[in-house]
């Protein structure tokens, strides 16, 4: 079999040319990074969980008419997606304060936002993905006015879908990040949700206990990351309820 062509290797995924023109294979790695890769580790099983969870979220979005790049999952670590041109923005939606907005504006973590707040960061690791305004986005031509209207509407629809889904399993969607791609169909372009949606790119807190079930477990050394992601997957029915790592038994 011919070796696949690697198109790009990021911090958490590798992209290969797909089997058909216009397709890409996304391979989910076990690497976890935080603070622009200052902190790194390999977390056994993270890639498998994110592949499954991202498939679940993308399928759910498509089912309610929100277009995504997702085509199908291929195996434990890979999914087939539509090739698209990624808009160089991280689109963040915040329902409760946490992370950088808490630091930036001095808002206590967990404070509910008066309404969902959408922020844009320019995707450039060498600059640490700086926060930008719509003025920068328009002036530098990263997205048109029409794109920005569509992106805002997509981001808020994803927020409603994800918040409701999580609420149903006792989890608060604190915030999340999505990336948007352009696909061309003849003379038309369409925007789709691209990249991944997983506990790497969301903040998820248990409603009862406040337990963190997302990448902050790794960022802040709060325990075992795959335990947290598995809990999300189990509650959503993505992993069978009984799929638990065997715990060591005390032999008396
Ligand atoms: P922040 O509070 O660090 O700005 O993060 C906001 C949300 O975006 C949080 O759910 C984590 C996610 N995020 C990413 O997915 N990738 C990133 O590079 C960063 C900084 C945040
Ligand atoms: N993904 C980014 C990094 O690797 C930041 C983060 O998620 O905290 O460093």
């Amino acid at each position: 079999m011919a070796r696949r062509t690697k198109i790009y290797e990021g911090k958490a995924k590798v992209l290969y040319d797909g089997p058909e023109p216009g397709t890409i294979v996304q391979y989910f790695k076990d690497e976890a990074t935080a603070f622009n890769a200052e902190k790194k580790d390999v977390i056994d099983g993270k890639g498998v969980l994110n592949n499954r969870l991202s498939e679940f979220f993308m399928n759910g979005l498509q089912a309610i008419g929100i277009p995504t790049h997702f085509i199908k999952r291929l195996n434990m670590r890979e999914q087939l997606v539509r090739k698209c041109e990624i808009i160089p923005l991280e689109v963040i939606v915040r329902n409760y304060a946490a992370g950088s907005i808490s630091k930036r504006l001095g808002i206590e973590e967990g404070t509910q936002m008066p309404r969902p707040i959408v922020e844009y960061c320019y995707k450039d690791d060498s600059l640490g993905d700086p926060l930008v305004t719509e003025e920068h986005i328009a002036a530098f031509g990263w997205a048109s006015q029409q794109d920005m209207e569509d992106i805002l509407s997509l981001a808020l629809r994803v927020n409603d879908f994800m918040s409701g889904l999580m609420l149903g399993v006792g989890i608060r969607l604190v915030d999340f990040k999505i990336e948007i791609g352009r696909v061309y169909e003849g003379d038309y372009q369409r925007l789709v949700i691209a990249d991944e949606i997983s506990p790497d790119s969301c903040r998820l807190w248990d409603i009862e206990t406040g337990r963190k079930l997302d990448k902050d477990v790794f960022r802040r050394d709060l325990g075992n990351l795959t335990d947290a992601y598995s809990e999300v997957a189990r509650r959503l029915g993505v992993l069978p309820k009984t799929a638990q790592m065997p715990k060591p038994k005390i032999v008396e």
Side-chain angles (χ1 to χ4, degrees):
M1 211 165 80
R3 225 185 132 66
R4 295 191 289 196
T5 315
K6 191 194 275 189
I7 305 173
Y8 176 80
E9 176 151 6
K11 286 177 287 200
K13 296 187 291 299
V14 187
L15 305 183
Y16 298 95
D17 259 337
E20 312 282 340
T23 63
I24 283 185
V25 174
Q26 274 197 160
Y27 175 97
F28 287 75
K29 302 194 281 189
D30 278 343
E31 268 87 347
T33 67
F35 315 118
N36 211 2
E38 267 173 44
K39 180 178 166 92
K40 290 188 224 200
D41 207 347
V42 174
I43 313 279
D44 267 354
K46 178 176 88 88
V48 173
L49 282 157
N50 280 352
N51 186 26
R52 291 295 296 266
L53 282 164
S54 199
E55 170 194 25
F56 180 76
F57 298 133
M58 295 284 182
N59 275 335
L61 291 172
Q62 309 225 84
I64 60 160
I66 300 177
T68 81
H69 71 159
F70 183 80
I71 302 172
K72 65 173 179 182
R73 188 166 59 82
L74 297 171
N75 55 48
M76 296 278 278
R77 287 186 181 273
E78 294 178 326
Q79 48 181 247
L80 188 67
V81 301
R82 269 188 83 159
K83 193 172 199 157
C84 53
E85 202 179 278
I86 297 287
I87 295 180
L89 296 174
E90 301 208 330
V91 180
I92 295 169
V93 183
R94 301 181 185 272
N95 299 306
Y96 293 83
S100 70
I101 197 172
S102 291
K103 284 216 186 80
R104 203 182 326 124
L105 302 180
I107 307 173
E108 194 186 339
E109 290 207 321
T111 309
Q112 188 167 17
M113 300 285 101
R115 58 187 166 89
I117 291 182
V118 182
E119 294 178 341
Y120 305 100
C121 292
Y122 179 54
K123 251 176 84 66
D124 185 328
D125 280 345
S126 67
L127 301 173
D129 299 338
L131 188 71
V132 290
T133 67
E134 291 190 54
E135 180 65 6
H136 300 112
I137 297 168
F140 297 120
W142 297 324
S144 68
Q145 193 54 47
Q146 180 64 56
D147 288 338
M148 290 313 290
E149 281 172 29
D150 294 347
I151 289 172
L152 180 62
S153 148
L154 281 171
L156 293 175
R157 290 178 74 197
V158 171
N159 187 43
D160 284 347
F161 171 78
M162 292 289 294
S163 295
L165 190 64
M166 291 301 174
L167 202 57
V169 295
I171 294 174
R172 169 164 300 150
L173 178 65
V174 171
D175 60 28
F176 67 92
K177 183 265 307 188
I178 49 172
E179 296 185 20
I180 310 286
R182 294 176 211 281
V183 293
Y184 294 94
E185 277 154 14
D187 288 342
Y188 293 92
Q189 71 141 39
R190 213 155 56 89
L191 299 184
V192 299
I193 310 296
D195 190 52
E196 71 177 275
I197 302 180
S198 73
D200 267 13
S201 55
C202 300
R203 282 198 174 90
L204 305 169
W205 297 357
D206 180 81
I207 287 180
E208 296 268 304
T209 64
R211 178 184 166 201
K212 291 182 173 45
L213 298 169
D214 57 64
K215 205 166 100 179
D216 274 348
V217 171
F218 169 73
R219 293 190 190 97
R220 303 178 186 190
D221 295 319
L222 300 176
N224 184 303
L225 193 71
T226 43
D227 278 356
Y229 289 20
S230 303
E231 176 66 22
V232 176
R234 266 197 302 276
R235 288 198 200 181
L236 291 167
V238 173
L239 280 187
K241 295 250 179 307
T242 50
Q244 263 170 339
M245 296 293 282
K247 294 267 186 302
K249 280 205 184 90
I250 297 169
V251 179
E252 306 204 348

